Amino acid sequence: VERNVEGVRDAVRNAQINGLADTAEFIARDATEYMREAADAHMHVDVVVWILRGRVDAGFIEAAAALAPRRIVYISCNPVTHVRDLAVLGENGYRVERLTPVDLFPHTSHTEMVATLTRAHI
């Protein structure tokens, strides 16, 4: 789920190139709204993969937690907001299972952080 229509178009094209078009669905919508509606409809979701590009509000985190996926994978390039968001996810019943730094841009100060969280009550 991605608000940027061009991003969704690129994802569809990449899925086709990689033979995944039949197993993936891409939706051009606001992710917070989509997750709230999906949670209200009791949609079953195993994993939410969240790649942060910019600011996220508490509504997004609450919507992800309300959807109650078994696992959340959260990728961010901002360690300060990553820690803040992980704390909020912890307050919503998730615990960090793994935290991995990934250096995608060698010789710079930028490091991506990949956190894998699971619901604490499983």
Side-chain angles (χ1 to χ4, degrees), residues 17 23 29 56 72 75 86 99 109:
I17 290 168
T23 60
R29 288 202 44 210
V56 67
I72 295 175
I75 303 165
L86 292 176
L99 186 61
S109 62

Side-chain angles (χ1 to χ4, degrees), residues 47-52 71-79 81-83 86 89 95-104 110-118:
V47 179
V48 168
V49 178
W50 169 13
I51 303 171
L52 181 61
R71 178 171 291 135
I72 295 175
V73 179
Y74 173 21
I75 303 165
S76 175
C77 64
N78 185 330
T81 58
H82 203 193
V83 169
L86 292 176
L89 286 164
R95 68 172 181 259
V96 175
E97 291 290 321
R98 180 181 292 171
L99 186 61
T100 306
V102 179
D103 188 5
L104 293 176
H110 299 285
T111 302
E112 303 289 322
M113 295 301 296
V114 180
T116 303
L117 299 97
T118 57

Side-chain angles (χ1 to χ4, degrees), residues 24-92:
E25 179 181 4
F26 302 94
I27 300 165
R29 288 202 44 210
D30 179 78
T32 302
E33 291 174 12
Y34 180 84
M35 287 189 296
R36 284 183 180 144
E37 291 172 13
D40 290 344
H42 305 288
M43 179 186 288
H44 175 76
V45 175
D46 287 323
V47 179
V48 168
V49 178
W50 169 13
I51 303 171
L52 181 61
R53 295 184 333 251
R55 302 192 84 201
V56 67
D57 63 20
F60 179 92
I61 298 170
E62 291 166 3
L67 194 52
R70 183 173 44 90
R71 178 171 291 135
I72 295 175
V73 179
Y74 173 21
I75 303 165
S76 175
C77 64
N78 185 330
V80 173
T81 58
H82 203 193
V83 169
R84 178 202 66 204
D85 297 341
L86 292 176
V88 174
L89 286 164
E91 293 167 4
N92 281 278

